């Protein structure tokens, strides 16, 4: 369920997809809200069902760890929930209310995180340096991936590879459905070996124009790809979520401090097999988004016009009914004869003399 961050705003995956598809990040966020909630509900149903059928798979906390009850527990929950909810509002609330752009919302979120760390007295120079180093590394990775993917795309387009792919995908049997089936299967298989950055920067620019040509809403298409790309975090051999779990799960038997009992280790195989149901749920969610596109498009505000479709027309010569005769600005001074020039000078001198005479008469 940790991969929900890839489909629920403020998702970095949706930002990258919106950029590659040429759509608004706010619209992409709005379209992803309901699919994210439905996916959360599916996870919840699965967890409840699994715990009811196999109670030992998710045992309750030992009595030694359940000391808070009643009002104290409620206060503790509120104190834990309010700061992250406020942080979420700083990012999403400001974007949806129109107070900030996605970039500004991200900056406000970073500022809010610094304020929370300062309030909790956990803001230190070492922590700040670590955060800045991690941000710089991640940004550098993304920039280099972007540079490499751009070079690949330019080379691919230079040999008309994009036209070949477009012709191949538009010629698939089944029209839109055939295209969506092939694209989702391809994305699912590539996600075994590629991160979502590589998929977004290399594959999406090739698929977006084809989807647009087939009449597929690109916001809906982007959310669909985002749901599919979640699987790249969950299945081997490069599932990042699996490695994160491996790093925090005990690799050997240890003594629990609360109960004083020996706890068995969690193996890598158990983590892999435990992720399979969630991958299946994500695949089911892909089918739900395809079957019920209103989950995405129903929450996106439609504008009255598409700026990308604005065209300008310049009338041709045959359509221009104005007088085409060039205006006569007179003969240039260099082309005048000496007699004409002298006559003009005498007329100017006479006008000046008349002006002086009239001035003295007044």
């Amino acid at each position: 369920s940790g991969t929900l961050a890839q489909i629920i705003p403020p998702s970095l995956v949706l930002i990258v997809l919106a950029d590659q598809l040429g759509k608004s990040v706010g619209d992409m966020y709005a379209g992803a809200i309901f699919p994210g909630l439905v996916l959360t509900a599916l996870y919840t149903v699965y967890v409840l069902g699994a715990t009811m059928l196999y109670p030992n798979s998710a045992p309750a906390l030992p009595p030694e760890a359940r000391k808070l009850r009643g009002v104290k527990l409620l206060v503790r929950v509120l104190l834990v929930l309010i700061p992250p909810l406020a942080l979420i509002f700083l990012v999403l609330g400001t974007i949806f209310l129109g107070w900030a752009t996605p970039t500004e919302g991200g900056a406000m979120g970073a500022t809010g995180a610094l304020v929370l760390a300062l309030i909790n007295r956990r803001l230190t120079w070492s922590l700040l340096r670590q955060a800045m180093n991690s941000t710089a590394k991640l940004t550098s990775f993304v920039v280099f991936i972007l540079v490499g993917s751009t070079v690949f795309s330019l080379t691919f387009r230079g040999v008309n590879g994009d036209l070949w792919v477009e012709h191949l995908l538009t010629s698939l049997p089944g029209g839109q459905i055939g295209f969506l089936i092939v694209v989702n299967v391809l994305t699912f298989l590539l996600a075994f070996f590629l991160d979502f950055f590589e998929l977004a920067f290399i594959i999406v620019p090739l698929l977006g124009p084809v989807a647009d040509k087939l009449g597929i809403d690109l916001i809906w298409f982007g959310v669909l790809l985002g749901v599919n790309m979640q699987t790249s975090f969950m299945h081997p051999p490069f599932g990042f979520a699996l490695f994160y779990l491996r790093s925090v799960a005990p690799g050997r038997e240890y003594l629990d401090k609360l109960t004083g009992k020996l706890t068995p280790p969690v193996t890598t195989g158990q983590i892999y097999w435990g992720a399979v149901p969630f991958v299946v749920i994500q695949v089911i969610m892909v089918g739900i988004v395809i079957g019920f596109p209103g989950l995405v498009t129903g929450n996106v505000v439609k504008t009255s016009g598409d700026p990308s479709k604005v065209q300008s027309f310049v009338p041709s010569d045959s359509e221009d009914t104005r007088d085409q005769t060039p205006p006569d600005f007179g003969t240039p001074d260099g082309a005048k004869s000496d007699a004409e020039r002298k006559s003009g000078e005498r007329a100017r001198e006479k006008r000046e003399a008349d002006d002086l005479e009239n001035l003295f008469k007044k």
Side-chain angles (χ1 to χ4, degrees), residues 51-283:
T51 52
M52 292 178 65
L53 295 176
Y54 306 100
N56 293 331
S57 63
L61 290 173
E64 295 84 355
R66 292 178 284 171
K67 297 180 179 180
L68 295 178
R69 297 181 183 275
V71 178
K72 292 184 178 180
L73 179 60
L74 179 61
V75 172
R76 179 67 177 274
V77 171
L78 291 177
L79 291 177
V80 172
L81 283 179
I82 289 177
L85 289 178
L87 195 60
I88 292 174
F89 174 78
L90 281 177
V91 179
L92 293 184
T94 54
I95 294 175
F96 288 141
L97 293 176
W99 297 349
T101 63
T103 303
E104 295 168 348
M108 294 183 68
T111 304
L114 290 175
V115 172
L116 289 178
L118 183 62
I119 293 175
N120 294 324
R121 298 180 180 180
R122 299 183 60 182
L123 183 61
T124 60
W125 283 112
S126 60
L127 181 63
L128 185 60
R129 189 183 304 110
Q130 180 183 358
M132 295 177 67
N133 288 335
S134 300
T135 303
K137 289 179 181 178
L138 179 61
T139 304
S140 301
F141 293 158
V142 174
V143 169
F144 274 100
I145 292 173
L146 179 60
V147 171
S149 62
T150 303
V151 173
F152 170 79
S153 298
L154 290 175
T155 306
F156 194 70
R157 292 175 185 273
V159 295
N160 295 327
D162 56 330
L163 299 179
W164 181 83
V165 171
E166 180 178 341
H167 178 72
L168 174 65
L169 295 178
T170 53
S171 302
L172 291 172
Q176 292 183 355
I177 298 299
F179 168 76
L180 292 174
I181 292 175
V182 171
V183 166
N184 280 283
V185 171
L186 178 65
T187 303
F188 180 80
L189 295 177
L190 289 176
F192 277 88
F193 311 102
L194 297 177
D195 182 41
F196 81 90
F197 277 120
E198 288 87 348
L199 292 173
F201 288 138
I202 298 176
I203 304 301
V204 174
L206 299 176
L207 301 178
V210 181
D212 189 34
K213 188 174 182 179
L214 291 174
I216 298 175
D217 186 274
L218 292 184
I219 295 293
W220 176 83
F221 186 64
V223 174
L224 177 66
L225 290 179
V227 175
N228 197 331
M229 287 181 185
Q230 284 188 103
T231 59
S232 66
F233 292 84
M234 296 293 293
H235 50 51
F238 301 115
F240 291 106
L242 304 180
F243 290 110
Y244 297 153
L245 291 176
R246 176 68 281 172
S247 64
V248 298
R252 61 183 64 182
E253 193 177 47
Y254 71 98
L255 182 66
D256 188 87
K257 295 181 179 180
L258 292 175
T259 62
K261 299 179 180 179
L262 288 176
T263 303
V266 178
T267 64
T268 303
Q270 289 174 332
I271 295 176
Y272 281 1
W273 282 110
V276 171
F278 293 95
V279 174
V280 173
I281 292 174
Q282 291 171 351
V283 173

